[in-house]
């Protein structure tokens, strides 16, 4: 996941949310819980709870997949 930092990614979450955004940071706490910070949200499948924020947080445990997003044409 660290290799995807500062890249445009497609993230899919267990609640059905899908987000295309720039992944800023992936961290792991001492208790092994993971945390994601992302910004520049381009698209979401569901309404985003914090629409308009500068950066967003998500629990890594909620993440199903994170892959490079296809280039914008």
């Amino acid at each position: 996941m660290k290799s995807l930092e500062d890249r445009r990614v497609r993230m899919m979450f267990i609640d059905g949310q899908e987000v295309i955004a720039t992944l800023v940071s992936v961290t792991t706490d001492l208790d092994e819980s993971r945390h994601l910070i992302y910004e520049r949200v381009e698209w979401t499948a569901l309404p985003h709870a914090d629409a308009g924020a500068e950066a967003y947080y998500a629990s890594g445990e909620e993440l199903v997949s994170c892959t490079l997003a296809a280039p914008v044409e």
Side-chain angles (χ1 to χ4, degrees):
M1 290 276 302
K2 287 284 191 187
S3 65
L4 296 175
E5 287 183 348
D6 297 319
R7 308 282 302 269
R8 185 174 175 264
V9 297
R10 176 183 304 269
M11 297 175 285
M12 299 177 80
F13 296 91
I14 59 175
D15 65 356
Q17 179 64 290
E18 186 174 346
V19 178
I20 296 177
T22 300
L23 183 62
V24 175
S25 175
V26 178
T27 61
T28 304
D29 285 344
L30 293 174
D31 67 359
E32 300 298 316
S33 62
R34 294 183 353 188
H35 309 278
L36 309 170
I37 303 294
Y38 57 98
E39 65 184 5
R40 294 194 289 272
V41 173
E42 297 176 27
W43 182 83
T44 62
L46 304 171
H48 204 282
D50 298 321
E54 296 264 333
Y56 304 90
Y57 166 84
S59 167
E61 283 69 34
E62 305 271 320
L63 186 68
V64 174
S65 70
C66 184
T67 58
L68 282 176
V72 177
E73 296 180 17

